[in-house]
Amino acid sequence: MGQTSLAVTITDMQNASLSIAQPAPVLTPWRQKVALALGALGALLLLIVWAAGRAVAPVPTLLASLGLMAAGAWLFVREEYLKHPAGIRNNGAWFRSLTARGVWGWVLGVFITGFYVCLYWFPQYLKGLIELFTPLSQGLRARAADQWFVYGTLYTVAVLLMGVKFFFKYRHNAYQRIRTVSVVFFQLWFAWLLPGLLVRLQQPEIYFSYFWPLSYYQGTPMAYQGHLKSDLGLFYFFFGLAMFFIGTPVLTYFFGKRWYCSWVCGCGGLAETAGDPFRHLSDKSLRAWRIERWLIYSVLLFAVAMTALLWINVATGRSVLQQFSESFYKTYSFLIGAAFSGVVGVGFYPLLGSRVWCRFGCPMAAWLGIWQRKKSRFRITTNGGQCISCGNCSAYCEMGIDVRAYAQRGEDIVRASCVGCGICSAVCPRGVLRLEA
Amino acid sequence: MALKNAAIPFMRIVIIGNGVAGITAARHIRKRSDHSILVISDETDYFFSRTALMYVYMGHMRPQDLKPYEDWFWAKNRIELLRARVVAIDFEGKTLQTSDGRSLPYDRLILATGSKSNKFGWPGQDLDGVQGLYHWQDLESMERHSRGLQRAVIVGGGLIGIEMAEMFHSRGIPVTFLVRESSFWNNVLPAEESAMINRHILEHGIDLRLSTELREILPDAQGKCRAVLTSHGEEIACGFVGLTVGVSPNVDFLRNTPLEIGRGIRVDEYLQTNLPDVYAIGDCAELRQPPPGRRPIEAVWYSARAMGETVARILYGEPTPYDPGIWFNSAKFFDIEYQVYGNVPPALPPEVETLYWEHPDGRKSIRINYDRASGAVLGFNLMGVRYRHHVCDHWLRQGTHIETVLENLGAANFDPEFYPQHEAELVALYNRQTGQTLRLKRRRGLSLLRKIGM
Ligand SMILES: Cc1cc2nc3c(=O)[nH]c(=O)nc-3n(C[C@H](O)[C@H](O)[C@H](O)COP(=O)(O)OP(=O)(O)OC[C@H]3O[C@@H](n4cnc5c(N)ncnc54)[C@H](O)[C@@H]3O)c2cc1C
Ligand code: SF4
Ligand code: SF4
């Protein structure tokens, strides 16, 4: 990993009062470099297949790629975490190019963004990868792969491998261990294995861990008509409605929005695992908080309006609103469903942090947030006067909440956006913060 | 701001020092009054958390992350900031002189100049590569000396010393840690806790030398330090020596003035100095009559903050004496968090009984001290376990009986959810030691606190 200059200035440049010249290099022991190289090699294999546009010997290639990435991840865990006493290990987070918006961070950002652009708009360029994943798809689903299977599988692999890494990084923290097992389990079973098996059994491909409005299609008349064809589909349609109107308020009352955002949801799952190395990149300023509130509730309104229009169109015999509601839906899918949640939401991990989508865009998070803010037992309590205003909590809050601003005044933190990841509490060196419900 | 006190006329308040003491004072004065407020500091343009310097060096945070308030905050709250060094004060004429030649008048002056690192006259203590860690500039200097550094020697087994050890360790720079005492920080920690930290320091691969003092720092041809000589006559090669042997009030520029100074600036319980309209707060202040159980100079964040609040009350017209309450503190030794509430002396006085539980893995412990005769609890010492400040403080104030405390100990637990709770083990230990048959009545939880009215 390269070095970035820490020539950051806390004040204006002339005064340069709080700047550090150039930190001495962080030693990356060679075994860690080997680990990173193994992982990169695994990714490179995928890249070659992607670029080549076809997969020769897909089974050995895929096995080699996944094997290399898994070996890299495990070696990294061993060298970086298991060889040291358990504790908070964020050393060098702001020195490493990959995690401090340096060259490698941009390279990764461009690479993921490019993948999402192909996925949504140019799937023909993913032909090689689709061929590569076809044997696996045949095995699980008894049908050829498509770009969505490629995506779902890579996503699950990322959650799984980086979940293992996260688990060992926080192995001293029971809350983090249990939460990580949960979020990896939901991704693996409800968002990959189960939908695959359903396809194999000629059932509708259902992702039980997603509901409207995050899964915006699921609330539409099109989805309803599709689900009418099977009992399971119909069940899922009403289950989704119940989760929105009853499940969310009730569960959020007792546990806070974390029951979904950092324990169940797949977007949250990726953020908590693959996104963890980038969580400190979120913007903590008051300005960002203002933008957040405008944006996220606008997206919720947008989703509600879009769905309502589609239903009104159906109710009025598809006469008046046919064109309009459909183009509204298409705009939503393009802007929010693809560009925001995918391209920006994940592609910009290395630039804006891991929860850009969850914080600024997700309509489900907006809905959960309203309940968390207005009617929930969940809060983060602060431990009397023990805060030393060090700022670790704010720095590592992936939602960009300025936790310190509350903690140093001894106030509880009740914020709509808090996903209850518990990292602020974990990194606090003075034991000041506790998530409670 | 309905609470402004109309009886107090407009004043020009000048604060020297933008640390937590000075800034807390400024913020609280502004909240409740319209006085003009000027804060002067020579260190940085903006207030930052000194306590978090280590995290910048370790790459956990950027320099700007240390600022608890965004830069727009000061203008918005009409707190004027000035970057300058105050070189002289004319207390008669109520004006200050700054290093850049300014002369500034004041109606009220608050001295919040903090501390400076101690040096005890060792040969070689002023060589290049020898320094303490207190000011921002010390961190910059550490950074400069870290490039290509083969070994750092740290002198002084206190809180800043162990932070410095962790800092170098995070960069893969080998550390030798010279500690005068026979066990780490055992002038503050009881023997068991101190031994736990010794083990933990060694577990991290730090070359810990107990009962070892610095005798001399040896220069190379360029006048840079090249080695230290220890009290055992051993020479240890090193390119950096960290002197972390405590701090003392930063008041040298005020000596030989009418201001009364002992070790620090002497103040009464209203934080007033011997001169009219001049106050001193934070690390630089020395209480003439400290409250019971407290020391005249307490160089900790919490006391500085509390003094800032007290002086603000005086200046916006609701004076109350300085009352820091019951002692508490916290620290982190590498991965082991430490919290203390109340009085837990390193050596047990005869009238005090102690209940000490340690986890078999040797990285967590809970100690409760209580009065042998009355059973009143006197102090809590926690290693690797978090306890709730309000609850411990409440019991200590009330002098609650140890058995009541033990039965309700769950209420004090502040560890994250799903952590193993050890309160029952503590109760069992007490029963074994005393032949009692107490039972833990309460496990932790917010609802529990509401029930007992806290
Ligand atoms: C590395 C480190 C870690 C620490 N960790 C902890 C901890 O975990 N918990 C804890 O309780 N305490 C901790 N402390 C102690 C704590 O930081 C201090 O007690 C506290 O910051 C004191 O605040 P203050 O406002 O009194 O002084 P300071 O923060 O020292 O502020 C005084 C300011 O005044 C300026 N000044 C002085 N003289 C002049 C002058 N003549 N003209 C202009 N400006 C001047 C100084 O440059 C300085 O900026 C730590 C200290 C250090 C150095
Ligand atoms: S406030 Fe804490 S628990 Fe909530 S999202 Fe931020 S880091 Fe996670
Ligand atoms: S991490 Fe803890 S001590 Fe530091 S600012 Fe946050 S709450 Fe305060």
Side-chain angles (χ1 to χ4, degrees), chain B residues 29-41:
Chain B
I29 294 168
R30 173 52 71 242
K31 267 195 213 162
R32 305 281 295 270
S33 79
D34 266 335
H35 300 314
S36 113
I37 303 171
L38 169 67
V39 184
I40 309 176
S41 168

Side-chain angles (χ1 to χ4, degrees), chain A residues 317-361:
Chain A
R318 299 174 194 281
S319 47
V320 245
L321 292 168
Q322 181 73 12
Q323 283 277 307
F324 183 62
S325 66
E326 270 174 20
S327 65
F328 214 62
Y329 175 80
K330 283 199 185 121
T331 311
Y332 187 92
S333 326
F334 173 78
L335 275 183
I336 310 297
F340 201 160
S341 83
V343 179
V344 177
V346 182
F348 287 17
Y349 268 19
L351 305 175
L352 299 174
S354 51
R355 287 276 193 176
V356 176
W357 162 247
C358 313
R359 179 183 181 192
F360 295 99

Side-chain angles (χ1 to χ4, degrees), chain B residues 214-233:
Chain B
L214 174 68
R215 188 174 292 162
E216 188 178 347
I217 305 166
L218 308 170
D220 65 10
Q222 285 81 45
K224 202 179 164 317
C225 79
R226 84 175 155 78
V228 296
L229 197 63
T230 72
S231 52
H232 303 304

Side-chain angles (χ1 to χ4, degrees), chain A residues 6 8-11 15 17-20 22-25 27 85-95 172-175 178 258 263 284-286 379 381-392 395-396 404 408 425-426 428-436, chain B residues 44-46 48-49 51-52 55-72 83 136 139-140 143 146-147 163 170-172 203-204 301-302 305 328-332 335 337 339 341 363 386-390 414-419 444 446:
Chain A
L6 224 197
V8 220
T9 320
I10 195 166
T11 61
N15 272 323
S17 71
L18 276 189
S19 69
I20 281 226
Q22 169 82 26
L27 293 175
I88 298 302
R89 293 283 170 270
N90 288 321
N91 294 343
W94 278 110
F95 298 154
H172 57 287
N173 186 314
Y175 182 76
I178 296 172
R258 59 184 169 157
W263 284 70
K284 316 303 187 301
S285 67
L286 196 63
R379 64 212 49 245
T381 57
T382 53
N383 202 5
Q386 287 281 25
C387 175
I388 52 169
S389 302
C390 71
N392 276 293
Y396 285 88
R404 164 172 59 190
Q408 66 191 358
S425 159
C428 172
R430 296 294 178 273
V432 176
L433 303 163
R434 182 162 193 272
L435 280 59
E436 356 211 347
Chain B
T44 51
D45 292 349
Y46 295 103
F48 75 97
S49 295
T51 50
Y55 298 108
V56 172
Y57 184 89
M58 301 203 303
H60 295 203
M61 285 192 277
R62 295 164 301 173
Q64 63 262 43
D65 298 327
L66 261 47
K67 293 187 287 184
Y69 302 92
E70 290 185 57
D71 293 348
W72 49 259
R83 179 92 180 268
W136 175 260
L139 190 73
E140 290 179 323
E143 191 64 73
S146 296
R147 192 158 279 280
E163 284 189 2
S170 78
R171 297 265 185 106
E203 186 188 6
H204 272 279
W301 185 264
Y302 312 115
R305 194 177 58 194
F328 68 95
N329 201 4
S330 61
K332 192 172 179 186
D335 304 314
E337 287 173 20
Q339 294 183 333
Y341 300 105
R363 292 164 124 251
R386 299 172 173 181
Y387 265 19
R388 217 179 267 271
H389 189 176
H390 290 311
F414 196 72
D415 269 340
E417 293 150 296
F418 304 119
Y419 269 47
R444 69 174 172 207
L446 204 58

Side-chain angles (χ1 to χ4, degrees), chain A residues 141-152:
Chain A
R141 315 191 304 165
R143 73 161 69 163
D146 54 12
Q147 84 256 37
W148 301 114
F149 181 76
V150 172
Y151 174 48

